[in-house]
Amino acid sequence: MASQHSELRSPAELIVVTRGADTAITPTALRDSHSAQARLEELLPPGGELVRIFGPANRLERRLADSPHLKTGAEYLNYFYLTGVTGELDELAARLRAAEEVAAAYVKPPAEPPIAPEGVRAITGRSAAEAPPVTPDFVVRQGYLDAAPQGIDARWAWTVPGGRGTGVRVVDVEGAWRFTHEDLRVNQGGVIGGNPSPEQGWRDHGTAVAGVISGDVNAYGITGIVPEAYIRAVSIFGTGSATAIRSAADTLNPGDVLLLELHRPGPRFTYANRPDQRGYIAVEWWPDDFAAIRYAIGKGVVVVEAGGNGGEDLDAALYDNRPAEFPSTWRNPFRGGEADSGAIIVGAGAPPPGFHGRDYGPPRSRLSFSNYGERIDVQGWGLEVTTTGYGDLQGGPDEDLWYTDVFSGTSSASPIVVGAVTSFQGMSAAAAGRKTPAEVRTRLRETGSPQTDAPERPVSQRIGNLPDLKSMILPR
């Protein structure tokens, strides 16, 4: 689990943004966009191709028309992802920026799963012991299910109509999963996009995320926060992250939930991938990912995004500086306001002291690796999360029987928040109707168990409250 993490990186991505008016998609806009694409592909090495992030232009037009709250502009025609080329991507991006059709061309550093860095989390390798004939019941170890302020009060929500996530769909965007796991057999739709990574670490990670959200109800293993929600997955491999986000959004209805289980190295250390993850930030920093998130929000989909494990103050002036490779229209999304993506960004808080025999400071205090700032909306447990995958709690040769006690990072915090959001949407639908993305985010910020102080990690370093489903749904 520990040794693999530094190797869990997606390929770097070269993104091209062409010039184009932010108008309705007209025949002229379509013609100009296709002409620009053709001219730019003449500059590519053999095998290179520019793929539209928001899909074929004719289908995009229909999808926009079907989503009245979505911006119906030709902006979405301008985003392309390069395929078929490896090697000197920075040099190619510079060459493309010189073309008059190009507003921006930049290389995104590899994305990683936001599991807590070594030195912070417990390191307990996979157990070699054979799993017993019947897996024990591990639900008692899932303290995040408990009543507030320790947990999110999922057990109470299960007694309320819709509280198990009934009728709500979730798509997880990351690297890989194991949907054949013994505790992921019900309401699991599998992988519906991208090419899952063959790396064990990515697969363990996705399996752990799925378990937190929608692990099956049975007499063994774990139970998900919303076991009646329907969960599926889209991999970033083969398509890039923005295309994966857009593809996931197109499968969801208003009020459904999209989870982004990724972070990337940001400008603090010149976008360098590092084993300690210092300087890593939420993916909405990059223009194409931001546009894809806004696209999903425009369709009424609730987007939950890992805040990243870089230990960064996202309010820092550093993030106001526009990279020269970005479009001139780019604004710092961490400032909110007009540049607000609309996503719910998640920080990592400490579990209760002594949970699983370890102490990481006051409960709900910011963990040292978690990014913080006014843009962080809400927190989840960033350590000691019991779920499917990895095999430290129960291992052996059969991967479908693996469980962990130490899932961590904004990786573990984010699916806890997704579980709370999905339960809230299920209960809301059963009562008076699903809430909009903005309404869900406001409710999370207005309710919940408050963040606490820790030495050198005061509440002024905002990661938000831990969700409390009872306070979210009941009138005050």
Side-chain angles (χ1 to χ4, degrees), residues 66-443:
D66 291 340
S67 302
H69 299 294
L70 191 60
K71 193 175 184 180
T72 57
E75 171 196 0
Y76 296 114
L77 296 172
N78 299 334
Y79 290 89
F80 295 87
Y81 166 70
L82 179 70
T83 64
V85 176
T86 58
E88 300 299 330
L89 295 182
D90 289 305
E91 292 181 7
L92 179 55
R95 190 159 70 246
L96 289 167
R97 283 195 298 274
E100 63 177 345
E101 295 88 358
V102 173
Y106 52 91
V107 178
K108 296 195 299 188
E112 298 180 18
I115 192 169
E118 295 181 29
V120 179
R121 57 189 167 92
I123 305 298
T124 58
R126 182 171 300 125
S127 172
E130 185 81 36
V134 178
T135 297
D137 187 348
F138 296 133
V139 175
V140 69
R141 307 186 70 82
Q142 295 178 264
Y144 54 90
L145 300 175
D146 295 343
Q150 172 168 294
I152 65 171
D153 224 343
R155 300 180 197 278
W156 170 83
W158 294 344
T159 69
V160 178
R164 293 174 181 260
T166 313
V168 183
R169 297 188 293 176
V170 178
V171 175
D172 178 30
V173 174
E174 52 170 296
W177 305 261
R178 182 82 174 184
F179 281 115
T180 55
H181 192 283
E182 67 168 358
D183 238 344
L184 297 174
R185 301 289 178 85
V186 181
N187 294 324
Q188 313 293 323
V191 180
I192 58 172
N195 303 315
S197 167
E199 293 292 334
Q200 180 68 61
W202 275 110
R203 194 161 65 247
D204 273 328
H205 185 273
T207 303
V209 167
V212 171
I213 297 169
S214 62
D216 299 343
V217 177
N218 48 44
Y220 56 84
I222 55 92
T223 297
I225 297 169
V226 280
E228 292 182 7
Y230 184 58
I231 187 169
R232 292 172 293 173
V234 175
S235 177
I236 63 173
F237 287 84
T239 66
S241 56
T243 303
I245 295 166
R246 188 275 304 167
S247 175
D250 284 341
T251 70
L252 296 171
N253 294 322
D256 287 335
V257 186
L258 193 161
L259 170 59
L260 303 183
E261 274 282 348
L262 306 164
H263 65 171
R264 277 195 173 89
R268 176 71 65 190
F269 300 103
T270 61
Y271 308 98
N273 289 89
R274 301 163 50 106
D276 64 3
Q277 302 176 45
R278 286 287 310 282
Y280 283 37
I281 56 177
V283 298
E284 67 174 47
W285 167 263
W286 286 269
D288 58 312
D289 290 315
F290 177 86
I293 292 169
R294 288 281 287 261
Y295 174 88
I297 295 291
K299 291 176 71 69
V301 173
V302 181
V303 178
V304 177
E305 178 183 7
N309 300 345
E312 283 291 295
D313 177 3
L314 299 184
D315 294 333
L318 167 69
Y319 295 105
D320 292 326
N321 299 325
R322 178 179 66 86
E325 300 85 358
F326 282 10
S328 61
T329 55
W330 179 89
R331 299 292 182 270
N332 176 10
F334 302 147
R335 289 293 182 201
E338 291 185 2
D340 191 339
S341 70
I344 295 164
I345 301 186
V346 181
F355 205 80
H356 296 170
R358 304 182 183 95
D359 188 343
Y360 299 96
R364 304 181 309 284
S365 61
R366 183 182 74 86
L367 292 166
S368 61
F369 59 82
S370 178
N371 290 339
Y372 59 94
E374 182 55 34
R375 184 61 187 85
I376 303 291
D377 295 297
V378 64
Q379 65 167 287
W381 282 26
L383 292 164
E384 304 300 321
V385 169
T386 301
T387 182
T388 45
Y390 290 105
D392 53 274
L393 180 59
Q394 178 171 287
D398 188 346
E399 189 176 340
D400 286 337
L401 307 180
W402 291 354
Y403 294 84
T404 180
D405 240 358
V406 292
F407 193 40
S408 63
T410 49
S411 277
S412 61
S414 297
I416 289 174
V417 171
V418 165
V421 168
T422 304
S423 177
F424 176 67
Q425 289 290 66
M427 290 187 285
S428 297
R434 293 182 178 188
K435 305 300 183 182
T436 67
E439 289 172 331
V440 174
R441 188 169 71 173
T442 297
R443 200 75 185 126

Side-chain angles (χ1 to χ4, degrees), residues 360-362 365-366 368 452-458 461:
Y360 299 96
S365 61
R366 183 182 74 86
S368 61
T452 60
D453 284 307
E456 301 182 359
R457 302 192 302 277
Q461 297 177 346

